[in-house]
Amino acid sequence: MKSVNSIIKSLKKLHVPTSPELDERIFREISRAIAQAENRKSASLQPGVWRIIKFAVAAVIIIAVYLSFNYDRSMETETPKIVEISVSKSPAELTTLASLNAAFSRGGMEAVEKQLTEADKKINQRPRERITVEKLLCELGQCG
Amino acid sequence: MFEEKLLLWKYNQGRKDILWRIYEKYKDGMMTLAFTLLYDKNSAEDVVHDVFMTIIGSCGRLQIKEDLKGYLAVCVVNRVRNRNKADKRHQSASLEQVVPMSADSNRPDFSAMFGEQSQRLAEALSQLPYQQREVLFLHLYSGLKFKTIAGLEEQSVNTIMGRYRYGLDKLRLLLSDEAKK
């Protein structure tokens, strides 16, 4: 007589396979279900995507308008004005060689004479006689 | 064990890509259970097909709390019962009556289904009443507890355990008689 345990083991080993036709039928149904799920997913995403795009465009437009409005105002208020500042130089500064060279390059001998006259005025010394620049240069040893 | 839990979790999440794996893993078990209850290959395949169509359609909508194997076994048994009821309505017979299947071992599909080694066991099983066969397979093959089977069949646990004991005893007797022959 067979023992109960061996009968139980044999029962658990029983195996009836499915036919290939059934497998194919089921796999076809599974593929269809997956495809339907994918379609539903993409369809539900589309309205959401368009909404996001609309919001993004609206946000860009608002930001652009805000920036352009503020940008014009800021240009008006923050543009630095060119202010002419006159810097008065001392007589010593006016008579330095660099200053005289700069004056010469601006306006030649007349400009140099003018600068020296200005320096003289500041010192408030009247020359006994009118000395030209050429004489002055000669006195300084620059005569050629 | 871990794979079963993972498959169940993914199924409950509505992941339809996991259905391939569920079918591959459980199809033979479902087919064996359906065939040993119906002893008809085409009917058994129809039952397995119907059960799996329900599983596919319910993916994402149904939350299976117990294990997947047990759930599928219960689905198969319910389908088999519905089929039997429909057949009985046509034949005007009662479900409580002993319904042993004719064990014609010369039928090619019968021996081909089970193979030579299991043929004697299959023949003996076919001699058992349907209710004893159902309890034996739900407990031993699908791993359902007696309490769960009792709830499924709307019977007491003692009744279910009784059916199980009587089924095993009868099987032992049939197989020993067969051996003596």
Side-chain angles (χ1 to χ4, degrees), chain A residues 2 14-16 19 23 31, chain B residues 20 23 28 32 45 141 172:
Chain A
K2 265 198 160 186
L14 274 178
H15 177 75
V16 179
S19 65
D23 291 347
S31 306
Chain B
W20 306 100
Y23 181 68
D28 290 344
T32 306
E45 288 203 336
Y141 200 78
R172 207 161 46 144

Side-chain angles (χ1 to χ4, degrees), chain A residues 42-59:
Chain A
S42 60
S44 67
L45 269 175
Q46 279 178 358
V49 169
W50 278 115
R51 209 178 294 159
I52 290 167
I53 290 170
K54 276 186 214 168
F55 277 128
V57 167

Side-chain angles (χ1 to χ4, degrees), chain B residues 49-110:
Chain B
H49 177 266
D50 291 346
V51 167
F52 221 80
M53 287 307 295
T54 310
I55 292 293
I56 292 170
S58 306
C59 184
R61 290 184 292 185
L62 183 70
Q63 293 292 308
I64 300 173
K65 290 192 170 64
E66 57 274 8
D67 72 305
L68 201 46
K69 186 181 177 184
Y71 179 79
L72 291 170
V74 168
C75 289
V76 166
V77 163
N78 283 335
R79 292 275 168 178
V80 166
R81 281 185 186 181
N82 291 342
R83 190 172 268 269
N84 283 340
K85 276 181 191 168
D87 289 346
K88 291 297 179 295
R89 250 183 260 127
H90 289 117
Q91 293 169 19
S92 310
S94 165
L95 242 184
E96 257 93 51
Q97 287 174 1
V98 168
V99 189
M101 305 297 293
S102 58
D104 183 359
S105 59
N106 292 326
R107 276 185 293 163
D109 63 340
F110 191 87

Side-chain angles (χ1 to χ4, degrees), chain B residues 163-174:
Chain B
R163 286 180 187 171
Y164 176 77
R165 255 195 319 273
Y166 294 136
L168 270 180
D169 287 342
K170 189 162 181 188
L171 259 184
R172 207 161 46 144
L173 195 65
L174 287 167

Side-chain angles (χ1 to χ4, degrees), chain A residues 62-92:
Chain A
I62 290 166
I63 290 167
V65 165
Y66 177 77
L67 281 175
S68 66
F69 185 65
N70 283 344
Y71 182 72
D72 286 341
R73 277 194 177 177
S74 66
M75 285 298 287
E76 282 170 23
T77 54
E78 291 175 9
T79 307
K81 287 183 182 171
I82 298 169
V83 177
E84 288 187 6
I85 305 168
S86 59
V87 181
S88 60
K89 290 183 179 176
S90 64

